[in-house]
């Protein structure tokens, strides 16, 4: 069965949250902030596959979601960035946004195209320490990833 149109939902991964943490050591009374940054969320990438000739696979799986970035941890440890989600499509595929009808990509060559960008990771509390505010008890959350249909 030849299928030439398909509607799918894609969502890029959210960025990880920054950590609120403080350095603790035996003989150090106030070690200061040491919360790490959150990791980047995964992008959704479309790639041309010459072995495919139809969009029949998209009839059965309609939702594609990239992984979220890992949250920051104590000890100035940043969270892991999520891997990108690669969706393989046949050559000559046109990708359109259903809300606006705008053409997002024309996949006629072998270059991968990022359709939905992943969210950025949030900052840990180490970034908010200043000489006047030495104990920041907050961190920045990660930004959400893009979502398209």
């Amino acid at each position: 069965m030849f299928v030439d149109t398909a509607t799918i939902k894609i969502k890029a991964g959210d960025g990880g949250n920054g950590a609120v943490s403080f350095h603790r050591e035996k003989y150090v009374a106030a070690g200061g902030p040491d919360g790490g940054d959150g990791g980047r969320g995964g992008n959704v990438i479309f790639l041309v596959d010459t072995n495919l000739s139809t969009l029949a696979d998209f009839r059965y799986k309609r939702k594609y979601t990239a992984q979220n970035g890992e949250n920051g941890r104590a000890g100035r440890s940043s969270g892991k960035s999520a891997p990108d989600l690669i969706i393989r499509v046949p050559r000559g595929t046109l990708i359109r946004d259903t809300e606006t009808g705008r053409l997002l990509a024309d996949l006629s060559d072998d270059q991968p195209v990022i359709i939905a960008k992943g969210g950025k990771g949030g900052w840990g509390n180490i970034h908010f320490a200043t000489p006047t505010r030495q104990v920041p008890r907050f961190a920045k959350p990660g930004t959400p990833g893009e979502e398209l249909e």
Side-chain angles (χ1 to χ4, degrees), residues 59-139:
R59 290 281 191 214
Y60 305 110
K61 185 175 180 193
R62 293 182 183 249
K63 289 185 181 177
Y64 292 87
T65 306
Q67 292 181 7
N68 296 335
E70 213 175 76
N71 293 336
R73 292 186 296 275
R76 299 182 183 187
S77 296
S78 295
K80 241 168 97 170
S81 293
D84 294 334
L85 174 67
I86 297 176
I87 300 174
R88 300 186 183 280
V89 293
R91 185 178 303 278
T93 301
L94 298 175
I95 300 173
R96 295 185 186 274
D97 187 7
T98 56
E99 289 182 20
T100 61
R102 186 172 62 109
L103 181 67
L104 299 174
D106 180 6
L107 297 171
S108 53
D109 56 354
D110 291 335
Q111 295 296 322
V113 178
I114 297 175
I115 299 297
K117 290 188 182 271
K120 294 181 180 174
W123 280 358
N125 67 339
I126 193 168
H127 292 283
F128 301 106
T130 62
T132 55
R133 181 178 56 216
Q134 296 179 359
V135 186
R137 298 186 191 280
F138 59 90

Side-chain angles (χ1 to χ4, degrees), residues 8-32:
I8 61 171
K9 289 185 180 186
I10 57 172
K11 181 174 182 337
D14 299 337
N17 297 328
V20 177
S21 172
F22 298 97
H23 183 72
R24 295 288 170 240
E25 211 172 326
K26 187 171 183 178
Y27 295 110
V28 179

Side-chain angles (χ1 to χ4, degrees), residues 1-3 54 56 59-60:
M1 181 174 143
F2 182 75
V3 178
T54 178
R59 290 281 191 214
Y60 305 110

